[in-house]
Amino acid sequence: MSSTGTATDPHRKTLRGPRFWLAPLVVVTAVMSALGYFYLASMVSPADNLREFPMAIVNQDVGDVMPGDDEPRNLGNEITAAILDGIDPAEIDMQEMGISAANSGLDTGSLYGAIVIPSDFTKRTSILAQGSVVPGDIEKPIITVYSNPRTGTFATGIVGMISDTAMTQVNDTVGEQLTTQVTNTLAETAPDLQLSGGSLLTLQDPINVLDVEHKPLPDGTGAGLSAFYFTLLLILAGFTGATIVNTLVDTALGFIPTEYGPLYINRETTRMSRLTVLFIKWGIIVVLSLIVSALYLWIGTALGMPVPRALLMWEYGALAISAVGITSVSVMSVFGSAGLLVNLFIFIVLGLPSSGGTVPIEAMPKMFEWLSTFEPMHQIYIATRAILYFDGHSAAGLTHGVAMTLVGLGVGVALGAIVTWMYDRRGFHRSTELLALDTASVSDRGESPTGP
């Protein structure tokens, strides 16, 4: 007597298990939650997170005798002291320096802005006070606030916010002093004269504040965002390119099946070690990096984006793509399918908000400052910005960016080569034939197999 029945499909049990349904829900929810937190936390409160924002104040005033005073005064010194006393040094790193040092800081991007008091400030203020009661044309004394558009639109906005606050306070203080001084002088010397309404308004708002961009960016730079978007392209070329190369190579060598619509192709697995396959993927990525870097430059130039150091940008672009791509492939070779999530967190989830390409690092929570010390996107951004906006100046971040990119490349090469070599040595082969041979060899020696 024979019994009939349907064999139980083990995969049906998997479908009925809660882990099958919970795993994608938990993983995707966790990744999206991380994206939401890091992206929003980096930019929602820049004023609250402002920290050691680097600016300069340049006092060139030589001083002069003010009406009613017997001794010369230097209003530039008084204004500088008032500005320094009125800011929180933990939030704004306002550095006193000469005009040459300030220009150098603006030229290399180490300063976001500068407040410059000219040499004739006190003299012009004295003339304004005298002119308020003497007929004739007069000009207000000038203070110039330089912003640095090459450090980004958001940074320029913060400079404007800081200067507006400081200059409003200075104007009010100087205006009150001038009004009192001129009124007292008139009372003593010409009691029959009184200030006109126009003169009074001029004295109450005596300083002409000029907002000037230091070396404005040319057209085609997206108001200072082209360096950030070019950086993002380099990261995506390495990260996404590595994912595509990893899949196509594994498919061609038979390590994973191929699907084209309804076609399902399962090729014979190639008898190659993990390390050999990794070297093949690395070689493809290096060739791709040279092609894609040139392609980006061609597209950018065709769209009107200025690239003053095209050769240098091509060379560094290829290096950056290679470093990100080689490291990404190494991570996937070490962690398998989970390596895609690891790469996503390293290069995108943590990289974008800590890049400094949109919001300055000094206006983010401290966590992002810490991330920027090693996150690849920040290193690539400062090098790319130095090439596109600061003529490849080493002090503008090029040297640091290149060095950190090389460090990242070295870490990726070492991680992939060492770990895959260890996998091969311990018998964790991807080829079923090699795995069977290794298992049989171990069994012949009377040992326990170590394969997966």
Side-chain angles (χ1 to χ4, degrees), residues 262-281:
L263 298 179
Y264 181 85
I265 304 170
N266 198 354
R267 293 185 175 88
E268 182 181 353
T269 304
T270 306
R271 297 179 61 179
M272 284 186 180
S273 67
R274 290 175 181 266
L275 185 58
T276 301
V277 174
L278 182 62
F279 285 158
I280 293 172
K281 294 173 181 176

Side-chain angles (χ1 to χ4, degrees), residues 37 53 106 123 144 228 235 262 320 328 356 364 367 447:
Y37 172 76
F53 190 82
L106 292 170
K123 182 178 181 179
T144 306
F228 168 70
I235 290 286
S328 296
M364 296 182 184
M367 172 182 59
E447 301 174 5

Side-chain angles (χ1 to χ4, degrees), residues 41 48 76 97 102 137 156 160 234 311 357 379 428:
D48 296 335
M97 60 181 66
D137 296 331
T156 301
L234 296 177
L311 178 60
Q379 323 309 324
F428 296 127

Side-chain angles (χ1 to χ4, degrees), residues 94-356:
M94 188 72 72
Q95 308 163 32
E96 282 191 84
M97 60 181 66
I99 190 65
S100 297
N103 283 328
S104 177
L106 292 170
D107 287 341
T108 59
S110 60
L111 291 175
Y112 290 117
I115 299 173
V116 178
I117 304 172
S119 58
D120 61 350
F121 183 81
T122 302
K123 182 178 181 179
R124 283 183 175 272
T125 306
S126 175
I127 294 173
L128 177 68
Q130 297 173 27
S132 62
V133 294
V134 177
D137 296 331
I138 56 174
E139 294 182 359
K140 290 184 176 182
I142 295 173
I143 292 180
T144 306
V145 178
Y146 290 95
S147 59
N148 196 350
R150 295 167 191 263
T151 58
T153 305
F154 214 108
T156 301
I158 294 176
V159 170
M161 178 187 69
I162 294 171
S163 66
D164 286 346
T165 302
M167 291 300 99
T168 298
Q169 180 183 353
V170 167
N171 239 330
D172 291 343
T173 302
V174 175
E176 184 179 349
Q177 291 178 358
L178 279 181
T179 302
T180 302
Q181 192 170 26
V182 172
T183 302
N184 291 339
T185 301
L186 283 177
E188 294 175 1
T189 59
D192 294 334
L193 289 178
Q194 289 188 350
L195 285 174
S196 66
S199 297
L200 188 59
L201 288 174
T202 300
L203 290 175
Q204 289 175 344
D205 185 25
I207 302 173
N208 186 15
V209 180
L210 300 181
D211 293 314
V212 178
E213 289 187 346
H214 177 80
K215 294 185 177 179
L217 285 166
D219 293 335
T221 58
L225 287 175
S226 61
F228 168 70
Y229 279 98
F230 203 88
T231 299
L232 185 58
L233 286 173
L234 296 177
I235 290 286
L236 289 175
F239 165 62
T240 310
T243 304
I244 296 172
V245 167
N246 186 71
T247 302
L248 292 179
V249 170
D250 282 350
T251 297
L253 297 179
F255 294 117
I256 58 176
T258 306
E259 281 190 278
Y260 296 107
L263 298 179
Y264 181 85
I265 304 170
N266 198 354
R267 293 185 175 88
E268 182 181 353
T269 304
T270 306
R271 297 179 61 179
M272 284 186 180
S273 67
R274 290 175 181 266
L275 185 58
T276 301
V277 174
L278 182 62
F279 285 158
I280 293 172
K281 294 173 181 176
W282 284 353
I284 294 173
I285 287 172
V286 170
V287 174
L288 278 174
S289 69
L290 299 172
I291 297 172
V292 175
S293 182
L295 184 63
Y296 282 166
L297 286 175
W298 177 75
I299 293 173
T301 303
L303 292 173
M305 186 183 82
V307 186
R309 301 290 299 276
L311 178 60
L312 180 60
M313 190 67 253
W314 173 72
E315 292 170 343
Y316 179 73
L319 172 64
I321 294 172
S322 295
V324 174
I326 287 173
T327 303
S328 296
V329 167
S330 296
V331 169
M332 287 185 282
S333 298
V334 170
F335 295 102
S337 300
L340 182 60
L341 283 177
V342 175
N343 286 332
L344 181 65
F345 266 88
I346 292 174
F347 296 111
I348 304 298
V349 176
L350 301 179
L352 269 173
S354 63
S355 67

